[in-house]
Amino acid sequence: MALSLLGLCSSNPLLSSATLLNTHPRLPLRHRFRCNVVEPLKFDNGKPYFPLLTTDPAFPTFLSPNSHFQSDANKNDTRLRIFSGTANPALAQEIACYMGLELGKIKIKRFADGEIYVQLQESVRGCDVYLVQPTCPPANENLMELLIMIDACRRASAKNITAVIPYFGYARADRKTQGRESIAAKLVANLITEAGANRVLACDLHSGQSMGYFDIPVDHVYGQPVILDYLASKTICSDDLVVVSPDVGGVARARAFAKKLSDAPLAIVDKRRHGHNVAEVMNLIGDVKGKVAVMVDDMIDTAGTIAKGAALLHQEGAREVYACSTHAVFSPPAIERLSSGLFQEVIITNTIPVLEQNYFPQLTVLSVANLLGETIWRVHDDCSGGFEPYSTLGID
């Protein structure tokens, strides 16, 4: 008998706990309130997602803000400060809203010659400081801003400084594929460490070895539960599902994703890359005929790999194709490729802000604010994520 993903969600610990990362759709309006985000956007499907927090006793307590709001020690904890850079202030505001805190006051400006100026507008002496700043495009500007923010906190005598980097730029330069190349991921890790960071919190690094480039602790969390939960809500028949890796390097990621989706079958797109941001699809390993194909990757940059893979899946008889990715870099011509009709839906998260002119009807943006907010609480409280119900957070 075919089982729906929704039924599987209730029996799968990862999916059931992940459900609480997103809004409960059936809660009465009187039990909801909205975050006042820095840049509120106006759409539901195809637009960034606002988490609605609840006080309903029937709502499970995992990842619920009430677990911290009810603690006077945490609610009034003046030793925890969250500051946002200019890269993704809306996500930082959602994180602070989930935690019941206000963003710290910080002044960031650029001089006429492009130099960056940072000044904290409140004392952080002896505080645990969390700086939310993805190093997304423009990567060099946002990276430099993060380094200067870390330096400002260090010189202001912060006790601990954690760089919260939802998207870690330069992560793809993690090894030498040819002679005389740099390993920029290691260089960036050294810069963050030398600037004065005591810890890094990152989401879905391009490769696991990047954690080893840091000489400070790294908490690596995964956006996978958020996307899995959304797919579970679509109640696709598990017998019709196949998870597709867009390249051989993503097989481990796709296999782990498929295991959570009722151990769905796996297919692999074999490609030959002829240059940076240029890919050519060669072959498909696996059967997708008449099935709903879910392509899984950690990021979508120019969308060349995933678009050519989707075209191949349609040629091989796939009924529908979904694209799932944590990081939406969306370098041109990604929007044209993704909105060309190849995909039933493109599912991403808000680790990188998406410009409003880049929205298209098939785009769905999920929030990782609750995931990052809960991780910050547990790091601040010196707690581990190694036991239920926190084991799905990926915190060591």
Side-chain angles (χ1 to χ4, degrees):
M1 178 181 297
L3 297 174
S4 71
L5 293 181
L6 187 59
L8 294 169
C9 179
S10 61
S11 62
N12 189 301
L14 176 56
L15 293 182
S16 59
S17 60
T19 303
L20 306 169
L21 296 172
N22 294 306
T23 303
H24 196 293
R26 299 184 180 85
L27 290 172
L29 288 176
R30 66 179 182 273
H31 292 312
R32 301 181 180 182
F33 65 90
R34 281 192 184 275
C35 301
N36 293 321
V37 299
V38 175
E39 298 176 358
L41 299 176
K42 317 172 185 61
F43 304 89
D44 293 324
N45 186 37
K47 307 300 179 256
Y49 167 91
F50 294 114
L52 301 180
L53 310 180
T54 176
T55 57
D56 193 329
F59 195 68
T61 57
F62 171 64
L63 296 185
S64 168
N66 293 328
S67 61
H68 296 290
F69 289 166
Q70 292 172 353
S71 171
D72 291 337
N74 281 330
K75 186 175 180 180
N76 301 317
D77 190 350
T78 59
R79 296 296 179 181
L80 173 59
R81 303 292 175 82
I82 302 176
F83 293 92
S84 174
T86 61
N88 198 343
L91 175 59
Q93 182 65 65
E94 287 186 46
I95 293 172
C97 180
Y98 169 82
M99 300 178 69
L101 302 172
E102 293 184 359
L103 284 177
K105 298 177 182 178
I106 186 172
K107 181 179 181 180
I108 303 174
K109 68 177 184 179
R110 281 161 174 78
F111 293 108
D113 62 355
E115 293 180 1
I116 301 171
Y117 172 83
V118 173
Q119 182 189 32
L120 303 178
Q121 302 286 288
E122 57 187 73
S123 173
V124 295
R125 185 179 298 274
C127 295
D128 286 341
V129 176
Y130 294 82
L131 306 175
V132 182
Q133 175 80 341
T135 54
C136 52
N140 298 332
E141 283 280 313
N142 290 330
L143 173 60
M144 194 64 197
E145 184 178 304
L146 173 62
L147 297 176
I148 297 175
M149 290 170 65
I150 294 172
D151 183 70
C153 293
R154 180 174 63 87
R155 296 181 186 278
S157 301
K159 181 180 179 182
N160 291 300
I161 304 170
T162 301
V164 181
I165 309 176
Y167 170 72
F168 182 62
Y170 288 102
R172 286 172 285 184
D174 56 2
R175 64 191 184 279
K176 292 179 66 172
T177 58
Q178 303 178 56
R180 300 177 295 282
E181 284 185 335
S182 69
I183 303 179
K186 171 59 175 172
L187 174 62
V188 172
N190 288 343
L191 289 172
I192 293 172
T193 303
E194 291 301 319
N198 303 107
R199 178 182 291 270
V200 167
L201 169 56
C203 183
D204 270 329
L205 291 170
H206 184 64
S207 56
Q209 67 259 32
S210 296
M211 287 185 284
Y213 295 157
F214 290 90
D215 296 324
I216 54 178
V218 176
D219 292 304
H220 186 208
V221 298
Y222 299 91
Q224 184 185 77
V226 179
I227 299 175
L228 282 166
D229 177 57
Y230 178 77
L231 287 174
S233 71
K234 302 188 78 64
T235 65
I236 305 170
C237 180
S238 61
D239 289 346
D240 295 337
L241 189 69
V242 59
V243 175
V244 182
S245 173
D247 54 36
V248 175
V251 170
R253 182 185 303 107
R255 184 186 295 115
F257 198 90
K259 186 176 181 181
K260 300 300 185 297
L261 292 180
S262 186
D263 203 13
L266 183 68
I268 304 169
V269 176
D270 176 40
K271 71 176 184 181
R272 298 291 185 269
R273 186 177 293 277
H274 299 294
H276 298 297
N277 297 328
V278 178
E280 180 182 352
V281 172
M282 301 296 292
N283 197 13
L284 176 68
I285 304 171
D287 180 26
V288 298
K289 188 173 183 179
K291 294 184 177 293
V292 176
V294 179
M295 302 188 73
V296 180
D297 209 348
D298 63 319
M299 71 175 70
I300 299 176
D301 189 356
T302 62
T305 296
I306 204 163
K308 291 183 178 180
L312 179 63
L313 293 175
H314 282 293
Q315 292 174 14
E316 296 293 330
R319 191 170 80 242
E320 294 177 350
V321 179
Y322 288 80
C324 300
S325 177
T326 303
H327 308 300
V329 182
F330 285 178
S331 302
I335 302 303
E336 290 77 5
R337 288 168 171 169
L338 295 173
S339 60
S340 63
L342 290 171
F343 300 97
Q344 180 75 14
E345 192 171 0
V346 177
I347 305 166
I348 61 173
T349 72
N350 61 346
T351 57
I352 298 175
V354 180
L355 298 177
E356 191 166 351
Q357 61 265 31
N358 287 340
Y359 297 131
F360 52 94
Q362 297 88 357
L363 182 66
T364 297
V365 184
L366 307 177
S367 177
V368 294
N370 292 8
L371 176 72
L372 295 175
E374 182 63 31
T375 305
I376 291 173
W377 271 125
R378 298 190 64 76
V379 171
H380 178 66
D381 292 339
D382 294 325
C383 295
S384 171
F387 55 89
E388 292 294 340
Y390 298 101
S391 60
T392 59
L393 291 179
I395 316 168
D396 296 327

